[in-house]
Amino acid sequence: MDTQKRLDYLLVRLRERGNRLTPQRVAIIRTIINNTNHPSAEQMHSEILETFPTTSLATVYKTIRLLKEIGEILELGFGDDSSRFDGRKPHPHPHMICTECGTIMDSELDGFETIIETMARQTGFSVKTHRFDIFGICSSCKK
Amino acid sequence: MDTQKRLDYLLVRLRERGNRLTPQRVAIIRTIINNTNHPSAEQMHSEILETFPTTSLATVYKTIRLLKEIGEILELGFGDDSSRFDGRKPHPHPHMICTECGTIMDSELDGFETIIETMARQTGFSVKTHRFDIFGICSSCKK
DNA sequence: TTTGATGCAAAGTATTTGCAGACTG
DNA sequence: CAGTCTGCAAATACTTTGCATCAAA
């Protein structure tokens, strides 16, 4: 993935919407895009502080919400009040979550969309989005 | 589904574990099993109060947790701190959630387990459980 | 200059927890 | 009658919000 291209795309999109490109906002977005580990809000915040020390957690949350509203970040909320985010591939896709080490892995699945569409047609349900999480032990933790 | 049979099964199972069958606990379990609407904890509590007025919300939560621990209730937690529960079919299965009216519908899907197993085998991931939610507009709300 | 954005601290909210008293087995 | 369960209220923890101040355009 070309992260630089995605960053430019997002900045242009925000500017065109009339959103301001503050240094904090740019730093937050850069972190979200570069981090491949599906970080939590806290993790993003810690990471951002290293390069831009005057950024509050509230602003991180506000930026996340902004990106959610325009569909540019995927939120993976879990029951225990711990949301993790995917700002690199914001379209819904399956995730495999290791309950041992907490790693979240992307998982493309051929024919997945087709299955959903078939189900939708059969039941008269208009699908807008979906969420598919698989929990278990990753190959590293099995050793 | 034979709800009476499931109720008896659960009561026996709890007694055999050494759990006590208090009137509150029995009332809560009865409600969980009878309600087909994937109720929230609050909704269960309100429903229970009608037939057993001296039941606290805390006890409802404690009973839910007990049932979760023994795998007899499925929790569907959503990001906005609203958990809904399925005590009738506690094994993981896909749900279709109407974002208009909030209805949660069960959805059996042939070959679904097979897909997961295939994915697991390819990646060396040991699947323990999964969660599949489809969001959209139900046929009633489309009219 | 205009208005949206930031940052602090306080509020919000579903769920959990501690503990004294009640009740099941 | 031993030990679990209940119910109350306080605690928790992530996220949101209000508002005065700041700064992008």
Side-chain angles (χ1 to χ4, degrees):
Chain A
M1 165 189 277
D2 189 334
T3 53
Q4 182 59 46
K5 191 178 276 181
R6 178 152 171 74
L7 177 60
D8 292 340
Y9 158 76
L10 284 178
L11 296 185
V12 168
R13 177 150 187 221
L14 288 177
R15 190 158 38 212
E16 285 177 348
R17 294 180 83 247
N19 293 114
R20 291 180 182 169
L21 303 183
T22 63
Q24 289 95 330
R25 192 167 273 176
V26 175
I28 294 166
I29 293 175
R30 194 188 302 275
T31 296
I32 288 175
I33 291 178
N34 286 333
N35 192 317
T36 61
N37 301 320
H38 302 83
S40 67
E42 285 279 8
Q43 287 168 341
M44 288 184 205
H45 184 228
S46 308
E47 202 172 317
I48 291 158
L49 287 185
E50 295 173 10
T51 59
F52 204 94
T54 61
T55 306
S56 73
L57 186 54
T59 298
V60 173
Y61 276 111
K62 283 168 183 164
T63 302
I64 288 172
R65 185 149 60 127
L66 171 61
L67 292 177
K68 261 199 303 192
E69 283 168 1
I70 65 174
E72 294 290 0
I73 193 171
L74 191 65
E75 176 169 13
L76 301 174
F78 297 102
D80 57 333
D81 285 323
S82 69
S83 271
R84 308 269 299 258
F85 299 90
D86 192 333
R88 296 170 64 85
K89 292 166 51 184
H91 60 92
H93 58 282
H95 288 94
M96 295 191 299
I97 298 133
C98 180
T99 53
E100 194 72 23
C101 63
T103 299
I104 299 179
M105 286 157 284
D106 287 338
S107 164
E108 296 298 344
L109 197 56
D110 289 342
F112 191 56
E113 301 290 339
T114 311
I115 291 173
I116 295 173
E117 287 311 321
T118 303
M119 181 190 292
R121 213 175 312 114
Q122 290 171 351
T123 56
F125 190 88
S126 294
V127 175
K128 286 200 299 199
T129 184
H130 58 84
R131 168 92 182 262
F132 185 24
D133 293 336
I134 300 166
F135 299 91
I137 310 289
C138 72
S139 52
S140 303
C141 286
K142 276 203 288 188
K143 289 164 192 167
Chain B
M1 164 187 277
D2 189 333
T3 53
Q4 182 60 46
K5 191 178 277 180
R6 177 152 173 74
L7 177 61
D8 292 340
Y9 158 76
L10 283 178
L11 296 185
V12 168
R13 176 147 189 225
L14 287 177
R15 191 160 36 212
E16 285 177 348
R17 293 181 83 245
N19 292 114
R20 291 181 180 168
L21 303 183
T22 63
Q24 289 96 330
R25 194 167 270 177
V26 175
I28 293 166
I29 293 175
R30 196 189 300 277
T31 297
I32 288 174
I33 291 177
N34 285 333
N35 192 318
T36 60
N37 300 319
H38 302 82
S40 68
E42 285 279 8
Q43 287 167 342
M44 289 183 204
H45 184 228
S46 308
E47 203 172 315
I48 291 158
L49 287 185
E50 295 174 9
T51 59
F52 203 94
T54 60
T55 305
S56 73
L57 185 55
T59 298
V60 173
Y61 276 111
K62 282 168 183 166
T63 302
I64 288 171
R65 185 150 60 127
L66 172 60
L67 292 178
K68 261 199 303 191
E69 282 169 4
I70 65 174
E72 294 290 0
I73 193 171
L74 190 66
E75 176 169 13
L76 301 174
F78 297 101
D80 57 334
D81 286 321
S82 68
S83 272
R84 308 268 299 257
F85 298 90
D86 191 334
R88 297 170 62 85
K89 292 165 52 182
H91 60 92
H93 58 281
H95 287 95
M96 294 190 299
I97 297 134
C98 179
T99 53
E100 193 72 22
C101 63
T103 299
I104 299 180
M105 287 157 284
D106 287 338
S107 162
E108 296 297 346
L109 197 56
D110 289 342
F112 190 56
E113 301 290 340
T114 310
I115 291 174
I116 295 174
E117 287 311 321
T118 303
M119 182 189 292
R121 211 175 314 116
Q122 287 172 353
T123 56
F125 190 88
S126 295
V127 175
K128 286 199 301 199
T129 184
H130 59 83
R131 168 93 182 264
F132 186 23
D133 293 335
I134 301 167
F135 300 90
I137 309 290
C138 72
S139 53
S140 303
C141 286
K142 276 203 287 189
K143 289 165 191 166

